[in-house]
Amino acid sequence: MKASEIRSKWLKFFESKGHKIEPSAPLVPHNDPSLLWINAGMAPLKPYFDGRIVPENPRIANSQKCIRTNDIENVGKTRRHHTFFEMLGNFSIGDYFKEEVITWAWEFLTDKEWIGFDPERLSVTVYPEDTEAFELWNKKIGIPEERIYKLQENFWDIGEGPCGPCTEIFYDRGDKYGDLNDPECWPGGENERFLEVWNLVFSQFNHNKDGSYTPLPNKNIDTGAGLERFASILQDVDSNFDTDLFQPIIQKTCELAGVKYKENDEQDVALKVIADHIRTVAFSVGDGVLPSNEGRGYVIRRLLRRAVRYGKVVLGMDKPFLYLLTPVVGEIMGVYYPEVVEKREFIEKVIRTEEERFHETLGGGLAILSELTEKARKEGLTTISGSDAFKLYDTYGFPFDLTEDYASEQGLTVDREGFDRAMQEQRDRARAARQESDSMKVQGGPLADFTVKSEFVGYTDLVTSAKVIAIVHEQQFVDLVGTGETCQVILDRTPFYAESGGQVSDHGYMTAGDTVLKVESVGKAPHGQHVHTVVVQAGVLRSGETVQATVTQDVREDIIKNHTATHLLHKALKEVLGDHVNQAGSLVAPERLRFDFSHFGSISAEELQEIERRVNAQIWNSLEVDISLKPIAEARAMGAMALFGEKYGDVVRVVRIGGYSLELCGGCHVSNTSQIGLFKLVSESGIGSGIRRIEATTGRQAYQYLDGQLQLLRDAASLLKSNITDVPKRVEGLFTQLKELSRENESLKAKLGGIEAGSLTDQVKAVNGVNVLAAEVSAGDMESLRNIVDQMKQKLGSAIIVLGAAAEDKVNLVAAVSQDLVGQGYHAGKLIKEVAAACGGSGGGRPDMAQAGGKDASKLKEALGTVERLVASK
């Protein structure tokens, strides 16, 4: 049975049992900072399990793509370790429980319409205290007691929160996979015969803070089964890597490398590593994760480089090859995961570019490693130091095992302990830095337990009457503050937007009679209230009094133009560059907007022009901006994009801009795009691996920016004594004229050099029968100096020439030795080094030609005076 058929049967079976089929979520968790990757079928469903969202149907099933990277080193060396895998799952959110899930699991596994396992080959494990599960398996299903194993570890518990016992189902693969006389050959033991195919978790308790356990009001079911394991059994193969999920990739790699599978153990490990890692990398890039030096991007870069390293070192592939496997991944997985097919070209481009960069890194690392081995030999050492090996790893990404292999070929060893020590020191530094920057010490304070409600009315009102419900001064609640003091104020209702989602906070004033407070910034308290940092400009502010809160209107208007324009920009980027573009950060300020996004490679001037045109087109189309509140599931179903860094509750604000853009957003916006007026790109740049940044302006700032650019053009026209339209033509004419003048200048320099060379012949002296010329000349740069030296070489034939020229307190020096004198042991490089040292410089070069620089022009004559002595002593 093919893997795609197993997946299909799973989903159809549970659909027949009233389950809603949930599509596989992206590998990047949404609104879950506790996870780096989606690592289980339940992970994207956590909001249902913890009650944040009530599902339309309490019965859910899925086939979820997952990534786990906690044991990368085992991949390729065992039968079933993977970084990317599919988890089949069925879930009950407070609906059915043990009896139903056990009955359905047995039906799915043993009924010939579905999987059709021989019931005699199935065994289960249960938690010793879970008598209900034992009775269900034994009495209802009919599994004899000797095939039901009680294991203390069959309890799913990750600390505070829902937990419960579980039951695991095992398949007996037969005698060729293990001898029953082996004490480890039983379900749950360390063996290859009994393969766990399904785990059913009964979430029925709450693990409390005090360590006690109490029954949950709503009991849940969470199950997980590995598609790859099912395939290995149903296809009767030795390992997951021998299934149709991996074999096409392995066979394509064999074709590219010119090797055969199952002929060499070391090569087989490499083939398995490559097959596993290309699946992970292809799917991750398809979900918007690009190789980088941190977070998820670092994981992908590490896996990609690990696969390339195995290909290079074990399979002898010296050119990029991984990207050629992307179409094979698509052929295998594209039926259920169309994104890996639809985004194939982009995925290939990302992988190929990263491969090429790593090959360059390997080349540079090998050159440095060669120098290190040569240095060790000269110093009589047999070991490359751990610090040098770590520098290669840390700076150049050069793997330790590659350093070790190369050193071994050269008859050397590498100090592994020193390398590990340097690695640990770096981890300690990183941990200390994290503790410094992410320390929780600054949290808490008087607002940690302040729960009085505060209402934000600033979406519609910029002026409101409000009551002061708290004043904080110097980390303490106070009843009043006087003129000149800075404090934090919380109102029962406020029009001031608190900085979040990239949008900066509002500014403005609060007034009460003669009391005037300037609002300088607004943030959020631990319980969500808007906290206003204010300066008391006049009077006294008292807790409990009523103030008039007024947002500075023109600043807010500038902000909302930039915010709505950011949404338009996001959509335009996807249209022009591709759907892989995802927001990676933003800033919405009154004077400008900044938008960071994922994109691999540069952006052409034509693409930027088209992006700008599209945004302005939507502004001039006068699109209505509709804002509504929706349940998050409904908003997602509408296709609304979730923005980077935002945290969403059960009900979200959906911002729809005509039929063009649809995003979840808590920020402030214009009511019609025509209010934006104008959008102008100011700059575009790369700020990291796979991350680009655009800065732009709108409205009056865009006008001011363009007017400033136009004034620069007017100034240029004035200097060129032309009108604006003729500036390009005048500049082109000046460049042509400059080239002609430059040619004339070079010609004159050559003539002057010839004249100077002619006068230098009188300064030639004989030293030990050798013609020596050491003189100061007029030469504006090193090239002119070399030209004069070349002319003197032609005139003098056999000679040693050292010429120097002073320019702005610096010295240029050039030395030349004719070939016949080189044969006698004279060396221009050594000679120039000594002369340069005399005027505070350094340099060197070949035996026949060398150049140098000096710092002290006043010592030039003295330095040239040493030439005759140096020649005399060779």
Side-chain angles (χ1 to χ4, degrees):
M1 193 184 294
K2 289 186 176 180
S4 58
E5 190 179 350
I6 299 168
R7 186 195 299 118
S8 177
K9 281 180 179 286
W10 177 279
L11 299 175
K12 285 179 181 176
F13 175 81
F14 283 105
E15 193 170 32
S16 75
K17 303 299 183 186
H19 289 64
K20 179 182 182 293
I21 304 306
E22 190 89 6
S24 179
L27 289 164
V28 178
H30 170 70
N31 197 26
D32 189 350
S34 68
L35 291 177
L36 190 66
W37 302 102
I38 291 296
N39 61 3
M42 186 271 281
L45 308 179
K46 281 167 67 175
Y48 297 147
F49 280 90
D50 62 22
R52 280 178 285 162
I53 301 173
V54 177
E56 295 175 12
N57 185 337
R59 298 181 179 188
I60 298 168
N62 67 5
S63 180
Q64 175 63 47
K65 55 187 177 183
C66 304
I67 288 180
R68 290 183 187 174
T69 56
N70 50 317
D71 49 7
I72 291 173
E73 297 306 319
N74 286 324
V75 173
K77 297 173 184 176
T78 69
R79 288 174 169 88
R80 281 173 291 281
H81 269 100
H82 303 296
T83 56
F84 175 90
F85 62 95
E86 279 184 82
M87 187 174 284
L88 306 169
N90 63 292
F91 311 90
S92 167
I93 315 298
D95 186 51
Y96 61 81
F97 203 49
K98 292 182 186 179
E99 183 172 358
E100 293 90 342
V101 74
I102 287 175
T103 303
W104 290 338
W106 188 255
E107 179 185 351
F108 180 74
L109 291 174
T110 60
D111 193 308
K112 294 190 181 299
E113 181 185 352
W114 304 108
I115 296 300
F117 284 154
D118 178 356
E120 298 300 316
R121 287 190 175 235
L122 296 175
S123 304
V124 298
T125 61
V126 297
Y127 184 58
E129 296 175 28
D130 190 359
T131 55
E132 184 182 0
F134 183 92
E135 292 293 319
L136 284 166
W137 282 122
N138 183 230
K139 299 289 196 299
K140 183 174 177 66
I141 302 302
I143 298 179
E145 283 192 34
E146 60 267 22
R147 297 215 314 269
I148 304 174
Y149 297 80
K150 296 180 179 181
L151 298 180
Q152 196 65 38
E153 57 263 34
N154 273 31
F155 194 92
W156 189 83
D157 190 352
I158 55 171
E160 190 178 343
C163 60
C166 65
T167 182
E168 296 168 323
I169 305 170
F170 287 80
Y171 180 83
D172 181 355
R173 306 194 73 193
D175 293 340
K176 68 177 180 178
Y177 290 100
D179 185 347
L180 292 177
N181 293 317
D182 183 342
E184 279 294 325
C185 196
W186 60 280
E190 291 294 327
N191 66 88
E192 291 297 334
R193 177 166 179 163
F194 292 93
L195 188 61
E196 180 198 336
V197 293
W198 203 342
N199 185 15
L200 317 178
V201 177
F202 313 128
S203 187
Q204 65 187 89
F205 300 110
N206 194 58
H207 186 161
N208 302 311
K209 283 185 179 180
D210 62 4
S212 63
Y213 292 85
T214 52
L216 284 171
N218 294 308
K219 297 176 174 60
N220 302 319
I221 290 292
D222 164 20
T223 86
L227 176 64
E228 295 82 4
R229 292 189 177 206
F230 265 121
S232 71
I233 295 170
L234 291 166
Q235 294 171 22
D236 193 23
V237 292
D238 183 56
S239 78
N240 293 358
F241 292 101
D242 297 303
T243 67
D244 65 335
L245 289 166
F246 291 90
Q247 271 302 300
I249 305 171
I250 288 174
Q251 294 305 325
K252 179 65 176 179
T253 310
C254 287
E255 177 191 323
L256 294 171
V259 299
K260 288 187 177 180
Y261 183 52
K262 293 199 171 178
E263 284 193 351
N264 177 290
D265 289 344
E266 188 182 13
Q267 289 181 352
D268 285 352
V269 169
L271 291 166
K272 291 172 183 176
V273 168
I274 290 165
D276 173 88
H277 290 5
I278 185 58
R279 286 177 13 126
T280 312
V281 172
F283 271 90
S284 300
V285 173
D287 279 351
V289 180
L290 301 179
S292 67
N293 287 327
E294 58 187 15
R296 298 181 186 95
Y298 176 72
V299 173
I300 297 310
R301 173 165 283 170
R302 182 184 173 196
L303 291 175
L304 190 149
R305 290 184 169 189
R306 190 168 186 263
V308 171
R309 190 170 81 240
Y310 269 98
K312 179 181 177 67
V313 176
V314 180
L315 304 180
M317 292 194 279
D318 289 322
K319 293 181 180 178
F321 69 93
L322 272 183
Y323 75 98
L324 296 170
L325 302 177
T326 303
V328 187
V329 176
E331 288 166 13
I332 300 167
M333 309 294 284
V335 174
Y336 192 69
Y337 299 102
E339 64 270 19
V340 81
V341 176
E342 293 165 359
K343 298 178 181 179
R344 194 198 77 191
E345 288 186 13
F346 175 71
I347 295 169
E348 285 181 354
K349 181 181 178 183
V350 171
I351 293 174
R352 182 171 186 172
T353 303
E354 186 68 14
E355 281 190 273
E356 288 170 347
R357 285 179 179 172
F358 186 46
H359 276 285
E360 290 173 8
T361 296
L362 286 173
L366 281 170
I368 292 167
L369 190 50
S370 176
E371 292 176 11
L372 289 173
T373 54
E374 187 63 31
K375 178 185 172 186
R377 280 204 198 91
K378 284 183 178 177
E379 295 176 358
L381 303 175
T382 58
T383 302
I384 292 175
S385 73
S387 59
D388 282 339
F390 179 74
K391 183 180 178 183
L392 270 170
Y393 167 82
D394 192 42
T395 308
Y396 300 97
F398 206 74
F400 180 84
D401 52 357
L402 224 59
T403 301
E404 212 166 31
D405 290 345
Y406 184 89
S408 177
E409 291 169 8
Q410 306 299 316
L412 300 171
T413 59
V414 185
D415 176 13
R416 178 77 206 215
E417 286 186 11
F419 176 85
D420 290 340
R421 193 163 50 248
M423 177 72 85
Q424 189 58 49
E425 287 171 0
Q426 187 197 58
R427 288 179 184 141
D428 292 342
R429 286 193 298 271
R431 190 178 298 113
R434 282 197 301 274
Q435 289 170 350
E436 185 69 27
S437 61
D438 299 336
S439 171
M440 301 295 282
K441 291 181 291 186
V442 296
Q443 297 189 6
L447 295 175
D449 299 317
F450 186 77
T451 58
V452 181
K453 298 292 184 184
S454 174
E455 180 188 5
F456 174 61
V457 298
Y459 289 133
T460 55
D461 301 328
L462 297 187
V463 181
T464 191
S465 178
K467 180 182 177 183
V468 177
I469 57 175
I471 303 172
V472 177
H473 183 250
E474 295 182 350
Q475 290 296 299
Q476 290 185 336
F477 285 114
V478 296
D479 293 325
L480 55 85
V481 286
T483 303
E485 297 291 346
T486 298
C487 62
Q488 286 74 47
V489 175
I490 299 179
L491 307 174
D492 65 341
R493 62 199 314 263
T494 178
F496 290 94
Y497 183 84
E499 182 171 346
S500 62
Q503 180 178 325
V504 300
S505 68
D506 287 323
H507 290 217
Y509 290 88
M510 297 179 192
T511 57
D514 294 332
T515 302
V516 179
L517 315 174
K518 183 181 180 184
V519 179
E520 297 197 324
S521 65
V522 187
K524 288 186 178 180
H527 294 279
Q529 306 95 334
H530 288 208
V531 181
H532 311 78
T533 297
V534 304
V535 175
V536 183
Q537 292 188 329
V540 175
L541 177 69
R542 292 178 174 80
S543 182
E545 74 177 316
T546 298
V547 297
Q548 178 165 286
T550 306
V551 173
T552 303
Q553 185 171 345
D554 58 348
V555 174
R556 166 70 83 85
E557 288 176 353
D558 289 339
I559 290 171
I560 63 176
K561 289 172 184 175
N562 282 334
H563 203 153
T564 305
T566 300
H567 285 221
L568 296 175
L569 173 61
H570 193 180
K571 179 65 175 178
L573 285 165
K574 283 182 174 286
E575 289 180 332
V576 175
L577 303 179
D579 284 335
H580 63 274
V581 167
N582 286 303
Q583 181 174 339
S586 70
L587 172 68
V588 180
E591 68 281 354
R592 67 190 172 107
L593 66 91
R594 186 183 72 218
F595 191 76
D596 299 340
F597 56 97
S598 57
H599 180 63
F600 205 75
S602 59
I603 304 175
S604 69
E606 291 75 19
E607 287 172 327
L608 288 172
Q609 192 173 14
E610 177 61 15
I611 291 163
E612 186 177 82
R613 186 197 69 76
R614 287 177 183 243
V615 174
N616 279 305
Q618 305 314 316
I619 293 170
W620 301 328
N621 284 340
S622 300
L623 303 179
E624 291 295 323
V625 179
D626 175 66
I627 299 176
S628 58
L629 297 176
K630 301 281 185 185
I632 191 165
E634 183 182 340
R636 285 177 179 160
M638 292 167 63
M641 286 191 290
L643 293 185
F644 175 86
E646 283 291 317
K647 291 180 171 58
Y648 302 103
D650 295 339
V651 177
V652 295
R653 291 177 87 239
V654 179
V655 178
R656 182 194 294 275
I657 305 176
Y660 188 69
S661 169
L662 187 67
E663 295 194 20
L664 306 184
C665 180
C668 305
H669 292 274
V670 299
S671 58
N672 188 290
T673 58
S674 61
Q675 293 170 258
I676 299 172
L678 179 66
F679 173 86
K680 184 63 190 171
L681 285 174
V682 174
S683 68
E684 187 278 330
S685 61
I687 60 168
S689 181
I691 303 294
R692 311 293 299 180
R693 169 172 291 175
I694 279 179
E695 298 204 14
T697 60
T698 63
R700 58 176 175 164
Q701 279 79 18
Y703 165 77
Q704 290 167 1
Y705 173 78
L706 287 172
D707 189 55
Q709 298 298 299
L710 186 58
Q711 186 56 51
L712 290 174
L713 195 55
R714 292 192 193 103
D715 293 344
S718 176
L719 290 169
L720 294 167
K721 295 182 169 51
S722 73
N723 56 49
I724 287 176
T725 56
D726 288 338
V727 165
K729 190 186 297 183
R730 288 283 293 123
V731 171
E732 187 179 356
L734 285 173
F735 270 118
T736 301
Q737 188 178 351
L738 187 61
K739 285 180 183 177
E740 291 174 358
L741 290 171
S742 181
R743 280 196 295 269
E744 288 180 17
N745 189 41
E746 290 302 316
S747 176
L748 288 171
K749 277 184 181 180
K751 289 178 181 177
L752 287 171
I755 294 169
E756 184 146 24
S759 65
L760 288 173
T761 53
D762 297 337
Q763 299 181 44
V764 176
K765 294 184 179 178
V767 178
N768 293 343
V770 174
N771 289 328
V772 177
L773 172 61
E776 182 179 357
V777 297
S778 298
D781 51 39
M782 190 66 82
E783 186 179 354
S784 299
L785 191 58
R786 283 196 300 268
N787 287 337
I788 297 173
V789 170
D790 287 341
Q791 292 182 45
M792 291 309 301
K793 281 170 64 180
Q794 292 177 4
K795 283 194 172 194
L796 298 177
S798 176
I800 293 175
I801 304 165
V802 181
L803 299 183
E808 299 179 357
D809 277 348
K810 293 182 181 178
V811 174
N812 289 328
L813 292 160
V814 176
V817 176
S818 57
Q819 286 298 330
D820 62 318
L821 297 177
V822 170
Q824 294 180 31
Y826 295 99
H827 194 291
K830 294 178 180 178
L831 178 59
I832 204 74
K833 184 178 181 180
E834 296 285 346
V835 176
C839 50
S842 61
R846 306 188 310 268
D848 63 323
M849 177 69 80
Q851 65 184 48
K855 299 176 182 177
D856 190 349
S858 67
K859 299 285 181 65
L860 177 57
K861 287 187 178 180
E862 182 182 334
L864 291 169
T866 65
V867 172
E868 292 181 23
R869 175 179 56 79
L870 292 168
V871 171
S873 64
K874 284 197 176 181

